[in-house]
Amino acid sequence: ETGVTQSPTHLIKTRGQQVTLRCSSQSGHNTVSWYQQALGQGPQFIFQYYREEENGRGNFPPRFSGLQFPNYSSELNVNALELDDSALYLCASSLAGGVYYEQYFGPGTRLTVT
Amino acid sequence: DQQVKQNSPSLSVQEGRISILNCDYTNSMFDYFLWYKKYPAEGPTFLISISSIKDKNEDGRFTVFLNKSAKHLSLHIVPSQPGDSAVYFCAAQTTSGTYKYIFGTGTRLKVLA
């Protein structure tokens, strides 16, 4: 059973640029969520995708967008990068309808915006 | 608006003793609560959960207690082991209306040998 993987591990971008982060869900999981974790903070929920549709969103502006593909892999796109977007971005997969709603996290992508 | 709060940023406990990590929440619509453990350079790992209709759930050395009237939950680890040293996050989920999953700010637990 393959766990959740994310790429790239680290990324440096300039303010105003666009970035795409990628995630492969754990085998058999049909739901993926994305989180932003700033230093010293807990993960902040960005959005969740289920069967390729967004079905929940946190307090993030529209320049944060996502995609989920038929194989349940996912992308997080961030446009017009700002300095405050520097953070660890975590992807988590889960099985919708699972009893415990626990999520399985990848190791994250560290994004630095300069 | 921090709907899930962990007011203790850090906690040190002697090996073999009990560790108690606390979490408070404000949204009465949360229907599920979970605890995650995070080691450096890794994503959070699920530890234990509890439904809002229960007040206790136990799994080995880990027990989670939920006090709905006080909007408070706690994680007890007995006995504490050095390998338990990590950052612990509580999380709350609501499926009412728009789905949301809210994490607290974390408590760093250090178990001293």
Side-chain angles (χ1 to χ4, degrees), chain A residues 7-70:
Chain A
S7 63
T9 307
H10 295 89
L11 200 53
I12 300 175
K13 288 285 190 177
T14 303
R15 192 172 58 182
Q17 285 187 316
Q18 178 267 342
V19 69
T20 298
L21 309 182
R22 294 180 173 83
C23 171
S24 284
S25 299
Q26 182 159 315
S27 176
H29 285 181
N30 55 13
T31 303
V32 65
S33 302
W34 284 91
Y35 294 84
Q36 179 194 69
Q37 186 178 15
L39 266 175
Q41 301 295 316
Q44 298 291 311
F45 177 65
I46 302 175
F47 44 56
Q48 182 183 81
Y49 278 79
Y50 170 64
R51 291 186 174 175
E52 303 173 53
E53 298 276 340
E54 184 182 296
N55 77 329
R57 190 176 183 95
N59 296 326
F60 282 81
R63 61 189 184 85
F64 286 79
S65 63
L67 283 172
Q68 186 185 29
F69 300 101

Side-chain angles (χ1 to χ4, degrees), chain A residues 33 35 37 40-45 48 55-59 88 90 99-108, chain B residues 2 31-32 34 36 38 41-46 49 57 89 93 95 97-106:
Chain A
S33 302
Y35 294 84
Q37 186 178 15
Q41 301 295 316
Q44 298 291 311
F45 177 65
Q48 182 183 81
N55 77 329
R57 190 176 183 95
N59 296 326
L88 179 69
L90 294 162
V99 176
Y100 297 111
Y101 300 101
E102 67 264 29
Q103 301 192 346
Y104 295 82
F105 284 82
Chain B
Q2 188 66 32
D31 48 20
Y32 227 90
L34 307 95
Y36 287 83
K38 187 179 186 302
E42 294 181 12
T45 303
F46 169 73
S49 63
N57 187 28
F89 293 99
Q93 172 187 268
T95 53
T98 305
Y99 174 93
K100 284 191 192 297
Y101 207 99
I102 312 292
F103 277 83
T105 51

Side-chain angles (χ1 to χ4, degrees), chain B residues 33-63:
Chain B
F33 302 90
L34 307 95
W35 284 93
Y36 287 83
K37 179 167 73 172
K38 187 179 186 302
Y39 293 118
E42 294 181 12
T45 303
F46 169 73
L47 200 54
I48 192 169
S49 63
I50 188 167
S51 164
S52 60
I53 62 173
K54 296 191 173 182
D55 55 20
K56 178 182 175 182
N57 187 28
E58 192 171 351
D59 184 1
R61 297 186 297 114
F62 302 92
T63 303

Side-chain angles (χ1 to χ4, degrees), chain B residues 73-91:
Chain B
L73 66 156
S74 61
L75 173 67
H76 292 210
I77 306 174
V78 184
S80 301
Q81 300 173 353
D84 296 330
S85 297
V87 177
Y88 289 77
F89 293 99
C90 67

